[in-house]
Amino acid sequence: MDLGLKGRVALVAAASGGIGYASAFELAREGARLFICSRDEGRIGEAAEKIRAETGAEVEGLAADVTGDADAERFVRRACEAAGRVDVLVTNAGGSPGSTFEETGLEMYRRAFELNALSAIRLASLVVPLMRERRWGRVVNITSISVKQPIAGLLLSNTVRAGLTGWAKTLSNEVAAEGVTVNNVAPGWTLTARQEQHAVERGARAGKTREEMIEGWASEVPMRRMARPEEIAAAVAFLASERASYITGQTLVVDGGWVKGLY
């Protein structure tokens, strides 16, 4: 299937590894021109070089922390200067720490909102007006299954990502008539380097090995395995494509059947 992404200009945040990297790689394979960022200059440079080498796509990696106004503006400005436009925006950020209500102070909520909501809103505020002018655009937010079924012990993610989903739905209605779609991809348990680290850290607290933690998470999923990052990336690329032109305001769950609800 030709997704109609050849020659499109795409921005992907937090793309030095995990789902962000896999999403950038998938867009590059479809022929998009990429601008990717992460906070680590060395890692994002390596990621850009690897994507270029394996796909032949034009890729530029920039060090940028999208929780800051100046870095986000610089990231978007560089893409506009170099490519003249932005067609696709993939928002992404690391997850907030796990906690319960009793363990969570107000400052933790503020940091989580900045990381998992305002970082996406900030980038969209810079990019969506440009998309509206051209009457074509795709915004895809990488969120979490917690927006559909809250996860015990992840109070901050459950709270903040649900708020971002409400924002995305509202924005999608405001820009739909101008050819701009706004959707979310909600990954389930995904075997990334970060998740491997969580397995080690949480396992140490629970008296379990890394392998036991991963097996436990996988056992919750009807498919009895965790997702590969590229499986999440395929959904991101589809929603970013020409083929998804009549889909907006939706949250596509990619979870191997973990969420129990009908909607």
Side-chain angles (χ1 to χ4, degrees), residues 87-137:
D87 300 306
V88 175
L89 170 64
V90 179
T91 74
N92 182 38
S96 297
S99 65
T100 63
F101 175 74
E102 186 177 12
E103 298 165 339
T104 308
L106 290 180
E107 186 56 34
M108 293 174 67
Y109 287 102
R110 292 188 183 98
R111 289 197 298 268
F113 181 75
E114 182 67 62
L115 178 65
N116 292 135
L118 201 55
S119 64
I121 295 168
R122 177 181 290 108
L123 286 172
S125 71
L126 295 166
V127 169
V128 169
L130 308 176
M131 294 177 171
R132 297 177 82 170
E133 288 177 6
R134 296 179 59 83
R135 303 191 69 81
W136 200 98

Coordinates of all heavy atoms in Angstrom, one line a residue, residues 87-137:
D87 N 4.5 18.9 7.2 CA 3.3 18.2 6.8 C 2.8 17.3 8.0 O 1.6 17.1 8.1 CB 3.5 17.3 5.6 CG 3.9 18.2 4.4 OD1 3.2 19.1 4.1 OD2 5.0 17.9 3.8
V88 N 3.7 16.7 8.7 CA 3.4 15.7 9.7 C 4.2 16.0 11.0 O 5.4 16.3 11.0 CB 3.9 14.3 9.2 CG1 3.6 13.2 10.3 CG2 3.1 13.9 7.9
L89 N 3.4 16.0 12.1 CA 4.0 16.2 13.4 C 3.7 15.0 14.3 O 2.5 14.6 14.4 CB 3.4 17.4 14.1 CG 3.8 17.6 15.6 CD1 5.3 17.8 15.7 CD2 3.0 18.8 16.2
V90 N 4.7 14.3 14.7 CA 4.6 13.2 15.7 C 5.1 13.6 17.0 O 6.3 13.8 17.2 CB 5.3 11.9 15.2 CG1 5.1 10.8 16.2 CG2 4.8 11.5 13.8
T91 N 4.2 13.8 18.0 CA 4.6 14.2 19.3 C 4.8 13.0 20.2 O 4.1 12.0 20.1 CB 3.5 15.1 20.0 OG1 2.4 14.3 20.4 CG2 3.1 16.2 19.0
N92 N 5.9 13.1 21.0 CA 6.3 12.0 21.8 C 7.1 12.5 22.9 O 7.8 13.5 22.8 CB 7.1 11.0 20.9 CG 7.5 9.7 21.6 OD1 6.8 9.2 22.4 ND2 8.7 9.3 21.3
A93 N 7.1 11.8 24.1 CA 8.0 12.1 25.2 C 8.1 10.9 26.1 O 7.2 10.0 26.1 CB 7.4 13.3 26.0
G94 N 9.1 10.9 26.9 CA 9.2 9.8 27.9 C 8.1 9.9 28.9 O 7.4 10.9 29.1
G95 N 7.9 8.7 29.6 CA 6.8 8.6 30.5 C 7.1 9.2 31.9 O 8.3 9.3 32.2
S96 N 6.1 9.6 32.6 CA 6.2 10.1 33.9 C 6.5 8.9 34.9 O 6.1 7.8 34.6 CB 5.0 10.9 34.4 OG 4.8 12.0 33.6
P97 N 7.1 9.2 36.0 CA 7.4 8.1 37.0 C 6.1 7.5 37.6 O 5.1 8.2 37.7 CB 8.2 8.8 38.1 CG 7.9 10.2 38.0 CD 7.6 10.5 36.5
G98 N 6.2 6.2 37.9 CA 5.0 5.6 38.6 C 4.8 6.1 40.0 O 5.8 6.4 40.7
S99 N 3.6 6.2 40.4 CA 3.3 6.7 41.7 C 1.8 6.4 42.1 O 1.0 6.2 41.2 CB 3.6 8.2 41.9 OG 2.8 9.0 41.1
T100 N 1.5 6.5 43.3 CA 0.1 6.4 43.8 C -0.3 7.8 44.3 O 0.5 8.7 44.4 CB 0.0 5.4 45.0 OG1 0.8 5.9 46.1 CG2 0.5 4.0 44.6
F101 N -1.6 8.0 44.6 CA -2.0 9.3 45.1 C -1.3 9.8 46.3 O -0.9 10.9 46.4 CB -3.5 9.2 45.4 CG -4.1 10.4 46.0 CD1 -4.3 11.6 45.2 CD2 -4.4 10.5 47.4 CE1 -4.8 12.7 45.8 CE2 -4.9 11.7 47.9 CZ -5.1 12.8 47.1
E102 N -1.0 8.8 47.2 CA -0.3 9.2 48.5 C 1.1 9.7 48.2 O 1.6 10.5 48.9 CB -0.3 8.0 49.4 CG 0.2 8.3 50.8 CD 0.1 7.2 51.8 OE1 -0.1 6.0 51.3 OE2 0.4 7.4 53.0
E103 N 1.7 9.1 47.2 CA 3.1 9.4 46.9 C 3.3 10.6 46.0 O 4.4 11.1 45.8 CB 3.8 8.2 46.2 CG 3.8 6.9 47.0 CD 4.1 5.7 46.2 OE1 3.9 5.8 44.9 OE2 4.5 4.7 46.7
T104 N 2.2 11.2 45.5 CA 2.3 12.2 44.4 C 2.1 13.6 44.9 O 0.9 13.9 45.4 CB 1.3 11.9 43.3 OG1 1.5 10.5 42.9 CG2 1.5 12.8 42.1
G105 N 3.1 14.4 44.9 CA 2.9 15.8 45.3 C 2.5 16.7 44.1 O 2.6 16.3 42.9
L106 N 2.1 17.9 44.4 CA 1.6 18.8 43.3 C 2.7 19.1 42.3 O 2.4 19.2 41.1 CB 1.1 20.1 43.9 CG -0.2 20.0 44.7 CD1 -0.6 21.4 45.3 CD2 -1.3 19.5 43.9
E107 N 4.0 19.2 42.7 CA 5.0 19.5 41.8 C 5.2 18.4 40.8 O 5.6 18.6 39.6 CB 6.3 19.8 42.5 CG 7.5 20.2 41.6 CD 7.1 21.5 40.8 OE1 6.4 22.4 41.3 OE2 7.6 21.6 39.6
M108 N 5.0 17.1 41.2 CA 5.0 16.0 40.3 C 4.0 16.1 39.2 O 4.2 15.8 38.1 CB 4.9 14.7 41.1 CG 6.1 14.4 42.0 SD 5.8 13.0 43.1 CE 5.8 11.6 41.8
Y109 N 2.8 16.5 39.6 CA 1.7 16.7 38.6 C 2.2 17.8 37.6 O 1.9 17.7 36.4 CB 0.4 17.2 39.3 CG -0.3 16.1 40.0 CD1 -0.3 16.1 41.4 CD2 -1.1 15.2 39.3 CE1 -1.0 15.1 42.1 CE2 -1.8 14.2 40.0 CZ -1.8 14.2 41.4 OH -2.4 13.2 42.1
R110 N 2.8 18.9 38.1 CA 3.2 20.0 37.2 C 4.2 19.5 36.2 O 4.2 19.8 35.0 CB 3.7 21.1 38.0 CG 2.7 21.9 38.8 CD 3.3 23.1 39.5 NE 2.3 23.8 40.3 CZ 2.2 23.7 41.6 NH1 3.1 22.9 42.3 NH2 1.3 24.3 42.3
R111 N 5.2 18.7 36.7 CA 6.2 18.2 35.8 C 5.7 17.2 34.8 O 6.0 17.2 33.6 CB 7.3 17.5 36.6 CG 8.2 18.5 37.4 CD 9.5 17.8 37.8 NE 9.3 16.7 38.7 CZ 9.2 16.8 40.1 NH1 9.4 17.9 40.7 NH2 9.1 15.7 40.8
A112 N 4.7 16.4 35.2 CA 4.1 15.4 34.3 C 3.3 16.1 33.2 O 3.3 15.7 32.1 CB 3.2 14.5 35.1
F113 N 2.6 17.2 33.6 CA 1.8 17.9 32.6 C 2.7 18.6 31.6 O 2.5 18.5 30.4 CB 1.0 19.0 33.3 CG 0.1 19.8 32.3 CD1 -1.0 19.3 31.8 CD2 0.5 21.1 32.0 CE1 -1.8 20.0 30.9 CE2 -0.2 21.8 31.1 CZ -1.4 21.3 30.5
E114 N 3.9 19.1 32.0 CA 4.8 19.7 31.1 C 5.4 18.6 30.2 O 5.5 18.9 29.0 CB 6.0 20.3 31.9 CG 7.0 21.0 31.1 CD 6.5 22.3 30.4 OE1 6.1 23.2 31.1 OE2 6.5 22.3 29.2
L115 N 5.7 17.5 30.7 CA 6.3 16.4 29.9 C 5.3 15.7 28.9 O 5.6 15.6 27.7 CB 6.9 15.4 30.8 CG 7.6 14.1 30.1 CD1 8.8 14.6 29.3 CD2 8.0 13.1 31.2
N116 N 4.2 15.3 29.4 CA 3.3 14.5 28.6 C 2.1 15.2 28.0 O 1.3 14.5 27.3 CB 2.8 13.3 29.5 CG 4.0 12.3 29.8 OD1 4.1 11.9 31.0 ND2 4.8 12.0 28.9
A117 N 1.9 16.4 28.3 CA 0.8 17.2 27.7 C 1.3 18.4 27.0 O 1.2 18.6 25.8 CB -0.3 17.5 28.7
L118 N 1.9 19.3 27.8 CA 2.3 20.6 27.2 C 3.4 20.5 26.2 O 3.5 21.3 25.2 CB 2.8 21.5 28.3 CG 2.7 23.0 28.0 CD1 1.3 23.5 27.6 CD2 3.2 23.8 29.3
S119 N 4.3 19.5 26.2 CA 5.3 19.3 25.2 C 4.6 19.1 23.8 O 5.0 19.6 22.8 CB 6.2 18.1 25.5 OG 5.5 16.9 25.5
A120 N 3.5 18.3 23.8 CA 2.8 18.1 22.5 C 2.0 19.3 22.1 O 2.0 19.7 20.9 CB 1.8 16.9 22.7
I121 N 1.4 19.9 23.1 CA 0.6 21.1 22.8 C 1.5 22.3 22.2 O 1.1 23.0 21.3 CB -0.2 21.6 24.0 CG1 -1.2 20.5 24.4 CG2 -0.9 22.9 23.8 CD1 -1.8 20.7 25.8
R122 N 2.7 22.4 22.8 CA 3.6 23.4 22.4 C 4.0 23.2 21.0 O 4.0 24.2 20.2 CB 4.8 23.3 23.3 CG 5.9 24.3 23.0 CD 7.1 24.2 23.9 NE 6.8 24.7 25.2 CZ 6.7 23.9 26.3 NH1 6.8 22.6 26.2 NH2 6.4 24.4 27.5
L123 N 4.4 22.0 20.6 CA 4.8 21.7 19.2 C 3.6 22.0 18.2 O 3.8 22.5 17.2 CB 5.3 20.3 19.1 CG 6.7 20.0 19.6 CD1 7.0 18.5 19.6 CD2 7.8 20.8 18.9
A124 N 2.4 21.5 18.6 CA 1.3 21.7 17.8 C 0.9 23.2 17.6 O 0.6 23.6 16.5 CB 0.1 21.0 18.4
S125 N 1.1 24.0 18.6 CA 0.8 25.4 18.5 C 1.8 26.1 17.5 O 1.4 27.1 16.9 CB 1.0 26.1 19.9 OG 2.3 26.2 20.3
L126 N 3.0 25.5 17.3 CA 3.9 26.1 16.3 C 3.6 25.5 14.9 O 3.9 26.2 13.9 CB 5.3 25.7 16.7 CG 5.8 26.3 18.1 CD1 7.1 25.6 18.5 CD2 6.1 27.8 17.9
V127 N 3.1 24.3 14.8 CA 3.0 23.6 13.5 C 1.6 23.7 12.9 O 1.5 23.9 11.7 CB 3.5 22.2 13.7 CG1 3.1 21.4 12.4 CG2 5.0 22.1 14.0
V128 N 0.6 23.6 13.7 CA -0.8 23.5 13.1 C -1.1 24.7 12.3 O -1.8 24.6 11.3 CB -1.8 23.2 14.3 CG1 -3.2 23.4 13.8 CG2 -1.6 21.8 14.8
P129 N -0.8 26.0 12.8 CA -1.1 27.1 11.9 C -0.5 27.0 10.5 O -1.2 27.4 9.5 CB -0.5 28.3 12.7 CG -0.5 27.9 14.1 CD -0.2 26.4 14.1
L130 N 0.7 26.4 10.4 CA 1.3 26.3 9.1 C 0.5 25.2 8.3 O 0.4 25.4 7.0 CB 2.8 25.8 9.3 CG 3.6 26.7 10.2 CD1 5.0 26.1 10.3 CD2 3.7 28.1 9.6
M131 N 0.1 24.2 8.9 CA -0.7 23.2 8.2 C -2.0 23.7 7.7 O -2.5 23.4 6.6 CB -1.0 22.0 9.2 CG 0.3 21.2 9.6 SD -0.2 19.9 10.8 CE 1.4 19.0 10.8
R132 N -2.7 24.6 8.5 CA -4.0 25.1 8.2 C -3.8 26.0 6.9 O -4.7 26.1 6.1 CB -4.5 25.9 9.3 CG -4.8 25.1 10.5 CD -5.4 25.9 11.7 NE -6.8 26.1 11.6 CZ -7.5 26.7 12.6 NH1 -6.9 27.0 13.8 NH2 -8.8 26.9 12.4
E133 N -2.7 26.8 6.9 CA -2.4 27.6 5.7 C -2.4 26.8 4.4 O -2.9 27.2 3.4 CB -1.2 28.4 5.9 CG -1.3 29.5 6.9 CD 0.1 30.2 7.1 OE1 1.0 29.9 6.3 OE2 0.2 31.1 8.0
R134 N -1.7 25.6 4.5 CA -1.5 24.8 3.3 C -2.7 23.8 3.1 O -2.8 23.1 2.1 CB -0.3 23.9 3.5 CG 1.0 24.8 3.6 CD 2.2 23.9 3.7 NE 2.4 22.9 2.6 CZ 2.9 23.2 1.5 NH1 3.4 24.4 1.2 NH2 3.0 22.3 0.5
R135 N -3.6 23.8 4.1 CA -4.8 22.9 4.1 C -4.5 21.4 3.9 O -5.2 20.7 3.2 CB -5.8 23.4 2.9 CG -6.2 24.8 3.1 CD -7.3 25.2 2.2 NE -8.6 24.6 2.5 CZ -9.4 25.0 3.5 NH1 -9.1 26.1 4.2 NH2 -10.5 24.3 3.8
W136 N -3.4 21.0 4.6 CA -3.1 19.6 4.7 C -2.1 19.5 5.9 O -1.2 20.2 6.0 CB -2.4 19.1 3.5 CG -2.4 17.6 3.3 CD1 -3.3 16.9 2.6 CD2 -1.5 16.7 4.0 NE1 -3.0 15.6 2.7 CE2 -1.9 15.4 3.5 CE3 -0.5 16.8 4.8 CZ2 -1.3 14.2 3.9 CZ3 0.2 15.6 5.3 CH2 -0.3 14.3 4.8
G137 N -2.4 18.5 6.7 CA -1.5 18.2 7.8 C -1.9 17.0 8.6 O -3.1 16.6 8.6

